[in-house]
Amino acid sequence: MAKIDCKHIRNFSIIAHIDHGKSTLADRLLEKTGTLDKREMREQTLDDMDLERARGITIKARAVAMRYTYDGDEYELNLIDTPGHVDFQYEVSRSLACCEGAVLLVDAFQGVEAQTVANAYAAMEHNLAVVPVLNKVDLRHARPEEVIAEMESVLAINPDEVLRCSGKTGVGADELLRAIVERVPAPDGDPDAPLQAMVFDSHYDEFRGAITYVRVMNGTVRKGQKIRFIRVGTTHEVIELGQFVPRRRSCTELQAGQVGYLICNIKSLGQVHVGDTVTVAGENGAEALEGYRVPQRMVYCGLYPSDGQDFEELRDALTKLSINDPSFEFEPETSDALGFGFRCGFLGLLHMEIIQQRLEGEADLDLVQTAPNVTYEILTTTGETLHIHNPQKVPESGQIEQFRQPIVKVNFVLPTESIGPVMQLCTDRRGVYVRTEYLSPTRAMLTFNLPLADVIYDMHDKLKSVTRGYGTMDYELIGYFEADLVRMDILVGSKRVDALSIICDRRDADRRGRAIVKKLRTEIDRHMFEIALQAAIGTRIIARETISAMRKNVTAKCYGGDITRKRKLWAKQKEGKKRMKSIGSVDIPQKAFLAVLDTGAEK
């Protein structure tokens, strides 16, 4: 591969709301630049995970290098395709840190959505050159003029700069490539300076070890060179390096401004950290780059192997996955009901679901997952501040000075006729109204401050149903605020099941307690003895349901005769049931652990 001058390199990412056509447009750019020929093309080429293809969404950001000739000069365009879902915001922020420009994609029918606004602001915060693109202009029901007016009013984008494209038919792809060369600035690194490269992603390969994705900021990295990871302080030899086109293609060197990968025979998974800086070994190394903010985990749940023997396999699978996706964390925990497992932290509910499916699919594990909960802050009477990820860790009420819950600012983008129902939805969840902005005569952006616990469980589903599918939302954490919260325990057969405990608002406790025990009654099978299901706050029982015992007809063989014979058999049966109740254990199925998500609001 010929050496390329810095001024002929362009690094950009495609950002948009979920389903606005990023991966399809990336396909057309790969086709137009001749990176892949027709024979190798398939829909959403860059979404190569089975789960991405099954769900039709991008989960991991992907990098690809393309060659494009413009005005007689050959340019290298490094594209980073990013996810659109709010849970994968961290993937987007990592990609933006490696780019000088961003293609902001807006659907010509759906218009500006909540995630479009969030991603556009993120690109502006990183001081990136934004290339606005209107996608799907070939749709019969596209409304380009109205959507461009929305982009102007919400994002202050000049209507004359908006390009019109279709990721499906390839219309406007050439104009977009020209605009990227003209509008996105070249990287300003120095190829002759000491090596300084940013690790923006990595994944584990069974045969090659950890494969590190880097964006070279300064200097040049060559095959056979000794490099040092600054954060961990380890030194390695570069066995192979290259670029993604979109599969790995090795080359002899990567210089300032280029994006590629390094393979250094790293077998220990703890040695590669996203956000780390790679430099030369020895004393002449460069300074560490700023790196990334550690992502804030919003949702926690317990993951346990359904067969207790698989604990070590689960640990290995989680460790490998955390290399590829550093935005989730895990720590070992034990539960009386479920045995040994892990407490895992995620960015959101979809992220949690994806991780669980990747563990089950890629590592072939059978998992039991407890109900998700958010992180709370507790100020104790001794002045200590505790961060609570697990309801079991909540201290006794006498030791709590303040119980604080996370509050998020939620932006809803919705049709104007749905403003009333959505305001009602937020008010029912004790939301605080902030403002309403009109994007166009038919669409508005509504802002509320809401408790995160109420947002993650079912807010998205409820929003879709009250807006007939047209509403979208995006949220960011604003802080922890005091609330009247309690820990509610669930007792099954008079024994507290730690995995079923939840934290909820005191005013909701009675309703939720009743809803949970009712739901559990339908989920837990009948046993040979009676099972009492109770919801309790401290020592006070607030709700109870009973699963009656299965009865065997022990008097079936008694035809006529004295009634005392039957009474004797019934008494014997009663004694047996009593003994069984004291020593028998209740089998609780996986679905029962998710019953605690039932808010009881529909009743």
Side-chain angles (χ1 to χ4, degrees), residues 350-408:
L350 177 70
H351 187 211
M352 180 184 85
E353 209 180 303
I354 294 291
I355 294 288
Q356 188 190 353
Q357 287 188 354
R358 285 183 71 179
L359 286 170
E360 288 179 340
E362 294 170 20
D364 197 22
L365 289 167
D366 194 14
L367 299 173
V368 173
Q369 172 208 327
T370 65
N373 62 276
V374 300
T375 308
Y376 295 90
E377 262 183 18
I378 290 180
L379 181 67
T380 61
T381 46
T382 57
E384 192 185 354
T385 304
L386 307 174
H387 288 270
I388 303 291
H389 306 317
N390 191 337
Q392 301 159 39
K393 302 275 172 65
V394 175
E396 295 303 315
S397 54
Q399 300 170 7
I400 299 174
E401 183 73 36
Q402 266 189 12
F403 208 143
R404 303 181 191 135
Q405 65 179 353
I407 300 290
V408 287

Side-chain angles (χ1 to χ4, degrees), residues 559-572:
Y559 295 108
D562 193 357
I563 186 70
T564 53
R565 285 179 65 205
K566 290 189 176 183
R567 283 193 184 136
K568 204 185 269 179
L569 288 167
W570 285 332
K572 201 172 169 188

Side-chain angles (χ1 to χ4, degrees), residues 45-310:
T45 309
L46 297 184
D47 291 348
D48 56 359
M49 252 164 62
D50 292 342
L51 205 53
E52 289 180 317
R53 304 194 72 77
R55 283 173 168 259
I57 58 172
T58 304
I59 294 166
K60 289 291 300 171
R62 281 292 314 270
V64 60
M66 303 178 287
R67 294 291 173 128
Y68 177 64
T69 306
Y70 175 73
D71 272 356
D73 292 323
E74 191 178 43
Y75 287 84
E76 181 180 298
L77 309 180
N78 290 308
L79 154 69
I80 300 175
D81 179 31
T82 62
H85 197 279
V86 61
D87 282 12
F88 306 117
Q89 192 58 39
Y90 180 60
E91 291 280 332
V92 179
S93 69
R94 295 203 324 239
S95 306
L96 295 181
C98 295
C99 298
E100 281 78 36
V103 172
L104 178 68
L105 213 56
V106 181
D107 187 310
F109 170 62
Q110 293 180 347
V112 175
E113 301 280 23
Q115 234 4 68
T116 318
V117 180
N119 285 336
Y121 286 153
M124 289 165 189
E125 276 169 28
H126 284 83
N127 295 322
L128 302 189
V130 175
V131 180
V133 174
L134 196 63
N135 194 24
K136 306 191 186 180
V137 290
D138 57 319
L139 287 181
R140 197 183 309 149
H141 45 264
R143 40 188 198 93
E145 303 311 325
E146 293 167 50
V147 173
I148 288 174
E150 276 178 28
M151 291 165 78
E152 185 181 15
S153 71
V154 184
L155 305 170
I157 282 169
N158 182 349
D160 302 332
E161 291 180 0
V162 179
L163 301 170
R164 301 182 185 214
C165 285
S166 163
K168 195 173 175 185
T169 62
V171 170
D174 288 322
E175 289 80 358
L176 175 56
L177 288 165
R178 283 201 292 275
I180 289 165
V181 172
E182 289 165 4
R183 299 188 204 174
V184 175
D188 52 6
D190 177 6
D192 302 319
L195 174 65
Q196 191 182 37
M198 163 88 89
V199 177
F200 71 90
D201 207 349
S202 60
H203 79 269
Y204 191 77
D205 184 289
E206 278 182 52
F207 306 106
R208 309 301 306 268
I211 295 176
T212 314
Y213 297 33
V214 293
R215 152 76 202 267
V216 186
M217 298 296 184
N218 282 304
T220 307
V221 58
R222 296 178 180 85
K223 193 174 172 179
Q225 187 177 0
K226 285 265 197 288
I227 56 164
R228 180 164 59 94
F229 288 87
I230 291 182
R231 182 168 155 192
V232 199
T234 53
T235 304
H236 304 276
E237 184 184 337
V238 180
I239 307 290
E240 186 189 315
L241 54 81
Q243 290 181 303
F244 297 99
V245 288
R247 289 181 195 81
R248 297 202 301 265
R249 184 171 71 195
S250 60
C251 59
T252 51
E253 63 176 45
L254 288 174
Q255 64 174 56
Q258 289 188 303
V259 174
Y261 68 90
L262 305 175
I263 298 178
C264 305
N265 267 2
I266 300 174
K267 290 288 186 278
S268 159
L269 295 172
Q271 293 184 7
V272 177
H273 293 277
V274 168
D276 200 352
T277 307
V278 175
T279 186
V280 289
E283 297 298 309
N284 308 326
E287 293 286 300
L289 291 158
E290 195 180 312
Y292 305 105
R293 277 207 318 267
V294 176
Q296 262 182 320
R297 282 84 183 188
M298 298 286 199
V299 181
Y300 283 80
C301 83
L303 287 180
Y304 294 82
S306 58
D307 175 6
Q309 310 301 317
D310 295 340

Side-chain angles (χ1 to χ4, degrees), residues 497-517:
V497 181
D498 47 10
L500 289 174
S501 299
I502 60 166
I503 295 169
C504 64
D505 195 287
R506 193 184 297 276
R507 288 165 291 185
D508 285 345
D510 285 14
R511 189 186 74 212
R512 285 195 70 171
R514 275 196 299 278
I516 289 168
V517 292

Side-chain angles (χ1 to χ4, degrees), residues 42 104 109 201 210 215 269 329-330 345 445 461 463-464:
R42 58 176 186 167
L104 178 68
F109 170 62
D201 207 349
R215 152 76 202 267
L269 295 172
E329 62 181 3
F330 62 95
M445 185 155 86
D461 298 346
L463 173 72
K464 287 292 181 194

Side-chain angles (χ1 to χ4, degrees), residues 540-556:
R540 187 169 71 89
I541 303 293
I542 57 172
R544 170 174 172 139
E545 288 280 334
T546 307
I547 300 175
S548 55
M550 285 198 284
R551 294 287 299 263
K552 182 182 175 189
N553 186 0
V554 289
T555 59

